[in-house]
Amino acid sequence: MKTKAVIMDEKAIIRATTRIAHEIIEKNKGVEDLVLVGIKTRGIPFAKRLAKKIFEIEGKEVPVLTLDITLYRDDLTEIDVNPVVEITEFESDITGKIVVLVDDVLYTGRTVRAALDALVDKGRPKKVQLAVLIDRGHRELPIRPDFVGKNVPTSKLEVVSVKFEEVDGVNKVLIVER
């Protein structure tokens, strides 16, 4: 795949993360009963970054849980015949909590739908919100994020590639062509 454009550098990612953290606090009138749930793989470091920013702003720690949605995907057989699934262990109960699902890119909404199914198997949250770094704007499902770092309209032949230092060794967001 060929890189078409760098749409966010490290500073832009930090600014977007800071803005989203402020928006989460404002929309929820603080951080009481707030839990961030990072969707595997790049939703996890993004959720941890948001939690760190929220702590810097509010002085209160927000739990960060991780969610592997592999077995909940409706396209599982298209992805892999033998998927590797990590056990998702929640260190705290999400029942009655405000849960913010966190992921790197929203494209069709299929990942979010799978995450919602997986989440409900873990408990019954009071409210579920969605935070994404990039919203590509294509929808198969009527899912809209509550918090967005950047809206990036793309063609179906373009791929948004989010790179986080924790996973990829670098912080940037690229558009690549298939």
Side-chain angles (χ1 to χ4, degrees):
M1 287 197 258
K2 179 185 166 195
T3 299
K4 185 174 179 180
V6 176
I7 56 174
M8 293 179 89
D9 60 10
E10 185 169 8
K11 287 184 181 180
I13 293 171
I14 291 169
R15 284 192 300 274
T17 303
T18 302
R19 182 174 32 78
I20 291 171
H22 279 284
E23 290 173 354
I24 289 170
I25 294 164
E26 288 173 23
K27 185 169 188 167
N28 294 298
K29 298 175 178 55
V31 296
E32 191 70 30
D33 291 329
L34 188 67
V35 177
L36 302 178
V37 176
I39 300 172
K40 181 187 168 195
T41 295
R42 286 172 185 80
I44 297 166
F46 188 40
K48 290 178 180 177
R49 290 173 182 208
L50 285 169
K52 183 178 176 186
K53 283 291 179 192
I54 290 170
F55 180 77
E56 289 172 11
I57 298 163
E58 290 289 294
K60 295 179 182 173
E61 289 194 21
V62 174
V64 177
L65 309 177
T66 63
L67 189 61
D68 185 344
I69 61 160
T70 305
L71 294 179
Y72 292 86
R73 294 186 63 95
D74 62 2
D75 60 349
L76 178 60
T77 55
E78 296 170 27
I79 295 170
D80 197 344
V81 263
N82 295 311
V84 176
V85 179
E86 294 178 12
I87 296 173
T88 301
E89 298 216 14
F90 277 29
E91 297 82 32
S92 63
D93 186 15
I94 61 166
T95 300
K97 304 287 185 183
I98 299 169
V99 172
V100 180
L101 281 173
V102 181
D103 206 5
D104 57 343
V105 179
L106 175 61
Y107 180 49
T108 62
R110 295 172 95 181
T111 298
V112 176
R113 184 180 65 198
L116 289 169
D117 290 343
L119 193 65
V120 171
D121 277 352
K122 305 294 182 192
R124 300 284 185 222
K126 174 171 47 176
K127 185 188 306 184
V128 179
Q129 299 168 337
L130 176 61
V132 294
L133 183 60
I134 304 294
D135 182 354
R136 286 188 62 189
H138 298 277
R139 296 289 187 280
E140 289 177 5
L141 304 166
I143 294 173
R144 299 269 178 226
D146 299 276
F147 314 103
V148 179
K150 185 171 185 144
N151 289 295
V152 181
T154 58
S155 76
K156 291 192 176 196
L157 296 177
E158 296 172 322
V159 175
V160 173
S161 178
V162 175
K163 304 287 185 186
F164 285 135
E165 187 172 346
E166 299 88 335
V167 178
D168 309 292
V170 65
N171 292 307
K172 61 183 170 182
V173 180
L174 311 167
I175 293 180
V176 294
E177 293 178 318
R178 293 181 196 214

